[in-house]
Amino acid sequence: MNDEVAGGRGWLLTLGVSLVVILGAGFALLVDGPAPAPQSELSRALGAVGASIDVPATVSTLNVQEAGGSLQSILAADGAARLRIRVTEGLDRDAAAKRVKDVRSMIDGLFEPRQAPYPGELSHTLQCPEEYQPMDVVERGDALALLQLYANDRLTFGGCSADLLRYHTTVGYFYSAGSRRLFGVEYFAIVGGDDNGLRVVQSFQTAPEAR
């Protein structure tokens, strides 16, 4: 009889300990909440330079380039679309504004009228159709510049015919005064497909303490 009582008490003690463990784990879950989702490589890389962007969790990183342990560029895939972000270090606001102006002038130069490569009297000027030329986005938010244009399958700007162009591209330039960094953000959406470029690029942010 004594053995039965002792066994019953042991069983109750085991049950009580188990309940305490279960309740304790549940309480900890309520207090701490669910474990945060792991950061993507893109989020980690941007976080290291005080920046973030709103993209789906399914975005995958294709290429990362660094110099001296600091991010220089990152290329990611959002399905068939591509996202490229470039970082330039050590610029004050005036130098960043000049860099953006120079880049924009270079892009505009790709679309200037050109002399056709024909000899003699057949020579004439070739001009890129207006629908393929760069267009400024008026509502640019925090961007120093925001524009849209087209690119080929090598993510290069300058094509002026449908058979040469694969992507409709949104390009934004953002400056962080606190970190003295200039960010170039480019989203390449497949021509004729869903184009989330403007939303994604406008979602780019630098950390408040770095602005």
Side-chain angles (χ1 to χ4, degrees), residues 184-202:
V185 184
E186 304 166 338
Y187 188 94
F188 300 83
I190 295 292
V191 172
D194 293 336
D195 190 346
N196 297 314
L198 189 57
R199 180 194 65 77
V200 170
V201 173
Q202 287 185 319

Side-chain angles (χ1 to χ4, degrees), residues 87-109:
V87 186
T88 305
E89 301 271 359
L91 298 178
D92 61 26
R93 187 173 292 277
D94 289 342
K98 183 179 184 305
R99 178 70 63 90
V100 172
K101 183 178 179 180
D102 290 346
V103 171
R104 181 58 201 271
S105 295
M106 182 184 68
I107 290 175
D108 287 339

